[in-house]
Structure formats: C-alpha cells, structure tokens
Amino acid sequence: MKITLLGTGTPSPSIKRQSSGYLISVGDDLIVMDHGPGAHHRLIESGHRAIDLNYCFISHLHYDHCMDYARLVLQRWDIGADRIPDLQVYGPHPIARMTELLFGEEGVYGPDIRARVEHQGSIDIFEARGGKPPRKRPEPKVTEVRAGMKVEGNGWTVTVGHASHVQPQLRCLAFRLDSDEGSVVYSGDSGGQCPQLIELAQGADVLIAMNHYYSGTEPTAIYREVCGNHKDNAIIAREAGVKTLVLTHVLEQIDQPGVRERIAQEIGEDYHGNVIWGEDLMQIDVQPPRMAKME
Ligand SMILES: [Zn+2]
C-alpha cells in the first residue's frame, strides 16, 4: 500500500499546498480520499489520470475537500469514453444531491454534457477514443454513508467513522482503510481529542490528521473542537497506538522553519511514534521509515 498526499493545504490560497486530497494505492485499486481545489492537478503530477481510479471517498462537503470532484468525474467520463466502469463515490448526505446538481440534465454542467453527447464533433472525438455511440452521460455511482458503515473493496475494507468538525451544518466523516498490506486512517477534518477518531484509529499503521494550527493559538474553545492542532493530535496518536502520524491541512502560519521542528518536538513529548510533516506529492509507505546504515 502506498499513500500519496495530493493536497496538504487549507482553504487559504497557496501555491505550495493545494487543498485536501489523498491517493491510496492498494492491491489493484487506486482510491482517492477528498478532492479539494488543486488536488486533481496534483493527481496528474503524481503520474495518474482520472481514468486510473475507480473509487472516491469524500469526508465532508466543505469546498476545500470536494471542489475538484467535478473535474474528476468530468475528466474521467470524457477520457474514459464509456470504456471504464462508473466511478464509485462514497460520502455524507447530501453528496447525492450535489452530484445531481452538478451532472444531471438540469445541472451546472448539463449544457456541456448535452453538447458533448449530441454534437457530431464531440461524438467523433468520443469514437476516436474507442467509444461506441450513443454516448452515456456521466453517472457516478454515489452511496451516502455515515459512521459505522463499511465499504468492501477488492482485498480492502473502508470503515466510516465520525469526525468532530462543523456539525450539524455539515455531516463530517473520517475513514479507515484496512487490507493485508496495512491500514491507514484519514481523520477528514477533525478537531479536539475526538474519542470516536481514537477508536477508529486503534493500532493503525498510519494516521493522516488535520493539523491546522499550533495548539494554544486558537481564537476560541469551539475553534479547537473543530480544527486539529498538534498537541491534540499527539494525544490521539498515542491513545490510538498508531505507528506513524502524518500532519496535513497545514496553515501557512505554522509552515515555517523552526515552527515545524518545534511542533514535531512537542508532539514527541506525548507520542513516541513516527511524525511526518506532510507535503504535497509526498509518498508514504505504510511501513515505518527505517534508519539506513551508513556505507
Ligand atoms: Zn472542513
């Protein structure tokens, strides 16, 4: 199993860090978790295309986690030319309605889709790509999920968990993927020391956790309950017994030389596993990093 961080940023504008997106390669499958603005560009930079993956999990409908969902679906549909299975999508309510409002007959991309299905020039391109008219509309297979549900794949299982974030306005999920190759937990956006996240992450090889800011600098207690910070992440990682903690969803304020090291050092006071400061396009093995001998 290999994890590629597609986007480790926040809603704040950044060239260095795109918004949330994580690519997991497990067995023969490529799975994307979240697809915020810029994540799809990183997917292409990582050497993959929309048609290479069949599964998309969305943690919640904040735009920095799902804005490139439309790009993923449309590019996959366009280049796939009806030769590949429909994309399997899992996310919280109302992702089915969002999908319909994007790609339905009366949806945002309805006129574009109609033109590509009906115009002869577009049909010619579709056939050149191996498609056989009449062309289907994009029809991602959407399943709305909630904490406690499981999604079974080919040699892997995703368990849906609870994230402590901006309920009740948005339903917010975390995901745990287990396979023979290892286990990875993605917190989605989760703040505080969420007990359900600690339970979900028990014994996982890797925990990818929102680390929005430096603990103690939050403007309010409520903010701390909804946005991840380094001291709470240290406790979560320790209590869950994860082998590696990956920090992501990083604000520019803490992405500074000296601050990064201080955060890692302070996490080390409570948690003795591996700490990785996430960067866009970083590849992470589920096996803990080994110290190579000097030769
Ligand atoms: Zn969020």
Side-chain angles (χ1 to χ4, degrees):
M1 188 195 293
K2 185 151 274 192
I3 303 156
T4 306
L5 309 181
L6 300 178
T8 59
T10 72
S12 299
S14 170
I15 295 293
K16 183 184 170 194
R17 293 183 185 275
Q18 300 302 305
S19 293
S20 295
Y22 306 91
L23 183 69
I24 301 172
S25 169
V26 54
D28 295 329
D29 288 326
L30 269 180
I31 299 166
V32 76
M33 290 190 177
D34 282 349
H35 223 46
H40 197 82
H41 185 83
R42 293 287 193 240
L43 175 79
I44 296 167
E45 285 186 303
S46 77
H48 298 98
R49 301 159 299 172
I51 56 173
D52 297 332
L53 54 92
N54 292 331
Y55 297 92
C56 174
F57 289 79
I58 299 290
S59 67
H60 64 299
L61 298 185
H62 265 155
Y63 74 82
D64 59 311
H65 291 254
C66 63
M67 209 176 196
D68 273 4
Y69 171 50
R71 187 174 177 189
L72 173 65
V73 168
L74 290 170
Q75 289 216 323
R76 196 172 177 285
W77 169 70
D78 209 17
I79 308 300
D82 289 357
R83 293 168 300 140
I84 55 174
D86 292 318
L87 183 68
Q88 304 279 329
V89 180
Y90 301 91
H93 177 77
I95 193 168
R97 176 170 154 76
M98 172 187 267
T99 302
E100 178 61 24
L101 289 173
L102 286 169
F103 312 118
E105 297 265 4
E106 302 303 320
V108 171
Y109 295 103
D112 176 303
I113 292 165
R114 193 171 308 120
R116 288 177 200 274
V117 166
E118 295 177 5
H119 193 280
Q120 189 56 49
S122 295
I123 294 171
D124 291 346
I125 297 168
F126 171 72
E127 288 193 281
R129 288 174 175 150
K132 290 191 172 42
R135 189 177 191 183
K136 282 171 50 191
R137 302 176 57 81
E139 289 179 346
K141 298 291 177 245
V142 178
T143 305
E144 294 193 342
V145 292
R146 56 186 183 279
M149 293 176 73
K150 287 184 188 291
V151 177
E152 298 288 346
N154 186 19
W156 53 265
T157 302
V158 168
T159 304
V160 182
H162 171 85
S164 170
H165 194 38
V166 293
Q167 289 91 341
Q169 285 81 4
L170 287 181
R171 299 184 185 190
C172 304
L173 304 173
F175 299 115
R176 173 182 180 127
L177 188 148
D178 287 288
S179 80
D180 290 344
E181 300 171 34
S183 53
V184 56
V185 175
Y186 168 47
S187 77
D189 282 358
S190 190
Q193 295 171 16
C194 176
Q196 295 96 328
L197 180 60
I198 293 172
E199 190 184 336
L200 184 74
Q202 282 299 315
D205 293 308
V206 176
L207 168 61
I208 303 169
M210 179 198 210
N211 199 101
H212 199 58
Y213 67 95
Y214 186 90
S215 315
T217 62
E218 63 274 5
T220 65
I222 289 175
Y223 187 91
R224 185 162 181 161
E225 286 301 310
V226 302
C227 290
N229 63 88
H230 76 296
K231 295 297 275 184
D232 288 345
N233 280 332
I235 302 299
I236 290 168
R238 185 188 70 199
E239 295 301 310
V242 302
K243 296 187 182 74
T244 298
L245 170 65
V246 180
L247 307 178
T248 188
H249 207 293
V250 169
L251 269 180
E252 192 180 329
Q253 283 86 339
I254 61 168
D255 198 13
Q256 308 291 337
V259 180
R260 291 191 285 255
E261 291 79 359
R262 187 165 155 188
I263 285 175
Q265 181 194 341
E266 291 182 6
I267 287 176
E269 293 168 5
D270 290 314
Y271 167 67
H272 302 304
N274 305 292
V275 180
I276 294 177
W277 189 266
E279 306 281 355
D280 284 19
L281 291 176
M282 180 182 275
Q283 292 202 338
I284 296 167
D285 221 305
V286 285
Q287 301 305 322
R290 285 210 194 104
M291 210 64 77
K293 276 189 182 166
M294 197 179 264
E295 293 178 357

